[in-house]
Amino acid sequence: MPTVVVDDLASGDFLLDVREDEEWQAGHAAGALHVPMSDFVARYGELTEAAPQDGTVNVICRSGGRSAQVAMYLIQQGIDAVNVDGGMQVWEASGRPVVDEKGQPGTVI
């Protein structure tokens, strides 16, 4: 499974958050695309429209389990995807900004 650590992500890298709605609303990385894993297949087109054509899709969830499954699915579809090791828990712990659904400081649940 291709994996990247949070510290290796640059501010402009494409980030796909596959956590559920209540997790997203509590806190997420600004600029990330949100497509919950439970809706992923039905909403797959949202990803293909938003993802960079020649770039990597960095997939993130709370700790890395769900994002690993989605990254593997994307790889099987021919998309350059990697799992973000440790997920949003490591994102927040490393001091990266987390915002809520209103753009205010958020928290990872």
Side-chain angles (χ1 to χ4, degrees):
M1 164 60 57
T3 302
V4 65
V5 295
V6 168
D7 289 341
D8 289 341
L9 294 172
S11 62
D13 288 346
F14 186 82
L15 191 63
L16 170 65
D17 190 323
V18 296
R19 295 174 303 144
E20 295 305 313
D21 290 336
E22 61 276 359
E23 294 173 287
W24 170 265
Q25 292 164 359
H28 58 270
L33 173 65
H34 179 231
V35 180
M37 183 176 169
S38 60
D39 296 337
F40 193 76
V41 174
R43 294 176 56 188
Y44 180 73
E46 292 176 42
L47 170 67
T48 58
E49 289 178 19
Q53 296 300 314
D54 295 325
T56 300
V57 175
N58 299 284
V59 188
I60 197 165
C61 67
R62 183 173 187 265
S63 62
R66 290 172 284 180
S67 54
Q69 292 177 51
V70 172
M72 185 59 69
Y73 174 80
L74 292 174
I75 291 166
Q76 292 170 348
Q77 305 309 308
I79 293 175
D80 180 14
V82 296
N83 183 38
V84 179
D85 190 40
M88 287 299 297
Q89 290 177 321
V90 172
W91 181 279
E92 184 177 48
S94 68
R96 298 259 181 147
V98 176
V99 297
D100 67 13
E101 64 180 323
K102 297 177 181 164
Q104 300 300 313
T107 189
V108 176
I109 60 169

